């Protein structure tokens, strides 16, 4: 049997890391920051040594998970960020895409919940850079949509209210195993029903 090529090894590595991160997200939903590498190995149906080979501790694993979730989040809302149109409608579309991604991808929910909690479960300042990137690439573009599209006197407060509502609704549906029943359209409609468009 011939040895694997570099490309084959890279493909296996990527597949294993995705398997580990998916399992980590599921374990995190069950145990929060108390998760351990051993729990992740069991969920991923991999040996403890295999997971430990990729991640020496849970903080390294969670850091990778959250950075990956940031890229997924940005990709999910990219159509709105690069699209044209009324900024209030863009903010609604952005919220729908964000909530859908939250419900479908546990790592995105974990990212948004962690940002909402200001990373207070994590030691030291290891997530400052991630927080800055989230602000720059996700949060501030959303605040600008609110600023340009609504009559809100405090676009940041309005954006925070919307983000908090989306995270809260996602949490209820995820933790009560109601993901498939989540009414994304209805939730976003209710949130935005109290937001007035800016008079032109």
């Amino acid at each position: 049997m011939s040895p694997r090529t570099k490309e084959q090894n890279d493909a296996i590595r990527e597949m294993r890391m995705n398997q580990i991160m998916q399992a980590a997200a599921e374990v995190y939903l069950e145990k929060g920051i108390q998760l351990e590498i051993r729990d992740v190995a069991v969920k991923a149906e991999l040996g403890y040594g295999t997971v430990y080979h990729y991640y020496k501790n849970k903080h390294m694993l969670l850091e990778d998970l959250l950075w990956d979730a940031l890229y997924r989040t940005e990709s999910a809302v990219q159509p709105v960020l690069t699209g044209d149109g009324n900024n209030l409608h863009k903010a609604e579309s952005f919220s729908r895409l964000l909530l859908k991604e939250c419900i479908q991808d546990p790592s995105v929910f974990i990212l948004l919940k962690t940002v909402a909690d200001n990373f207070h479960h994590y030691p030291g300042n290891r997530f400052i850079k991630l927080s800055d990137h989230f602000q720059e690439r996700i949060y501030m573009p959303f605040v600008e949509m609110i600023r340009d599209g609504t009559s809100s006197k405090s676009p940041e407060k309005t954006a925070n209210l919307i983000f908090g509502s989306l995270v809260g609704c996602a949490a209820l549906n995820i933790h009560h195993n109601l993901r498939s029943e989540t009414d994304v359209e209805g939730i976003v409609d209710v949130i935005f029903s109290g937001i007035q468009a800016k008079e032109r």
Side-chain angles (χ1 to χ4, degrees):
M1 188 171 165
S2 59
R4 287 195 292 254
T5 64
K6 181 184 181 307
E7 289 76 17
Q8 287 171 321
N9 283 331
D10 289 347
I12 289 169
R13 177 180 171 76
E14 187 174 343
M15 183 185 75
R16 281 277 181 269
M17 289 180 78
N18 286 338
Q19 189 177 359
I20 291 165
M21 282 199 279
Q22 187 174 348
E26 290 174 27
V27 172
Y28 191 96
L29 291 181
E30 296 165 11
K31 297 191 169 192
I33 196 67
Q34 302 305 318
L35 102 165
E36 295 296 338
I37 295 288
R38 215 170 281 286
D39 304 322
V40 175
V42 169
K43 182 69 80 172
E45 299 180 351
L46 294 169
Y48 174 77
T50 301
V51 178
Y52 187 78
H53 171 75
Y54 292 102
Y55 295 104
K56 301 301 181 210
N57 61 60
K58 68 182 180 183
H59 296 296
M60 288 173 65
L61 173 53
L62 289 170
E63 191 166 1
D64 256 16
L65 177 86
L66 293 174
W67 275 104
D68 187 60
L70 176 63
Y71 301 132
R72 290 170 189 261
T73 304
E74 188 174 30
S75 179
V77 298
Q78 198 62 38
V80 175
L81 295 179
T82 56
D84 296 323
N86 173 298
N87 277 303
L88 181 57
H89 292 145
K90 285 176 72 172
E92 283 188 64
S93 297
F94 178 101
S95 300
R96 281 190 193 91
L97 292 172
L98 200 59
L99 184 55
K100 276 182 191 168
E101 197 66 19
C102 248
I103 295 297
Q104 292 168 359
D105 186 339
S107 66
V108 170
F109 168 72
I110 293 165
L111 171 68
L112 295 183
K113 178 81 169 68
T114 302
V115 169
D117 291 341
N118 202 25
F119 297 91
H120 81 272
H121 291 302
Y122 297 89
N125 296 321
R126 71 187 301 145
F127 290 102
I128 287 176
K129 186 176 178 184
L130 175 66
S131 179
D132 289 346
H133 277 263
F134 182 87
Q135 295 291 319
E136 179 187 327
R137 290 150 62 177
I138 308 296
Y139 180 72
M140 290 314 297
F142 184 65
V143 169
E144 287 309 310
M145 290 176 211
I146 299 295
R147 186 186 319 281
D148 295 342
T150 74
S151 56
S152 173
K153 292 183 174 71
S154 177
E156 289 84 3
K157 281 186 181 176
T158 302
N160 289 343
L161 172 75
I162 295 167
F163 266 113
S165 300
L166 296 174
V167 171
C169 288
L172 284 170
N173 284 276
I174 288 168
H175 293 306
H176 292 280
N177 294 315
L178 298 171
R179 285 187 215 191
S180 61
E181 299 170 36
T182 306
D183 179 10
V184 171
E185 296 293 325
I187 290 167
V188 173
D189 285 349
V190 167
I191 292 169
F192 277 82
S193 66
I195 298 174
Q196 295 181 336
K198 183 177 279 186
E199 292 182 17
R200 298 292 177 192

